[in-house]
Every structure is written in structure tokens, then in C-alpha cells.
């Protein structure tokens, strides 16, 4: 799924009509991933990546980075949508 999202973003560099969907999907996806980590911080649960435990500190970093990037992507999508209107 992430590879397809990266491909869509690369395509949007050359083809402007793909910029709004690429930015919107990237923003929504990253905010959703960040939401999982926010839920984990509010109510801790066991989380593993490739059989390695994921510490709560790593979830805090994910919230800061992934949610921040998701919000930035949604802002870009909004700007692109406004430019079309």
C-alpha cells in the first residue's frame, strides 16, 4: 500500500492532476497511522514490529512526525483544491 502511495506521489510531480489525490491520500493515511499511536499512548497496548516490541517513546515520536506530516499533506491538498476552484 505504501509503495502505491509513493508511486502516486511521484506521478503527481509530472502530472499535476494527481497532486490533490496524492496529497489527500497521503495526509489521511499518515493521520490514521498517527491515530493508532495516539490511541496507544492514551491506553497502552502491546505493539510489535517484526517481532520486536515497540516502546512507548517510539510511539510518541511517531505521533509528532507522522501526524505532523499528515497535517502538512492535508494542508497541501487543501491548497491544491483551492487553486483548482
Amino acid at each position: 500500500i505504501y509503495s502505491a502511495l509513493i508511486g502516486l506521489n511521484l506521478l503527481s510531480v509530472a502530472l499535476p492532476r494527481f497532486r490533490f489525490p496524492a496529497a489527500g491520500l497521503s495526509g489521511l493515511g499518515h493521520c490514521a497511522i498517527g491515530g493508532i499511536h495516539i490511541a496507544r499512548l492514551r491506553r497502552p497496548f502491546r505493539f510489535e514490529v517484526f517481532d520486536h516490541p515497540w516502546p512507548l517513546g517510539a510511539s510518541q515520536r511517531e505521533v509528532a512526525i507522522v501526524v505532523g506530516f499528515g497535517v502538512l499533506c492535508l494542508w497541501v491538498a487543501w491548497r491544491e483544491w483551492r487553486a483548482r476552484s
Side-chain angles (χ1 to χ4, degrees), residues 3 7 22 37 43 72:
S3 295
H37 290 283
R43 194 166 175 162
L72 177 63

Side-chain angles (χ1 to χ4, degrees), residues 1-12 22 26:
I1 292 173
Y2 209 70
S3 295
L5 190 58
I6 291 168
L8 181 62
N9 279 282
L10 289 173
L11 187 64
S12 74
S26 293

Side-chain angles (χ1 to χ4, degrees), residues 34 37-38 40-42 44-45 47 49 53-66:
H37 290 283
I38 290 170
R40 182 170 186 252
L41 292 173
R42 293 187 71 200
F45 56 87
F47 192 77
V49 178
W54 190 272
L56 283 175
S59 283
Q60 291 172 337
R61 287 188 298 275
E62 284 291 311
V63 169
I65 294 167
V66 174

Side-chain angles (χ1 to χ4, degrees), residues 10-79:
L10 289 173
L11 187 64
S12 74
V13 172
L15 301 170
R17 69 177 180 262
F18 289 106
R19 288 182 185 156
F20 173 72
L25 288 173
S26 293
L28 292 173
H30 283 88
C31 285
I33 291 169
I36 293 169
H37 290 283
I38 290 170
R40 182 170 186 252
L41 292 173
R42 293 187 71 200
R43 194 166 175 162
F45 56 87
R46 185 180 168 105
F47 192 77
E48 292 184 0
V49 178
F50 301 119
D51 288 331
H52 295 285
W54 190 272
L56 283 175
S59 283
Q60 291 172 337
R61 287 188 298 275
E62 284 291 311
V63 169
I65 294 167
V66 174
V67 172
F69 182 71
V71 169
L72 177 63
C73 288
L74 290 174
W75 178 77
V76 169
W78 175 74
R79 294 280 310 249

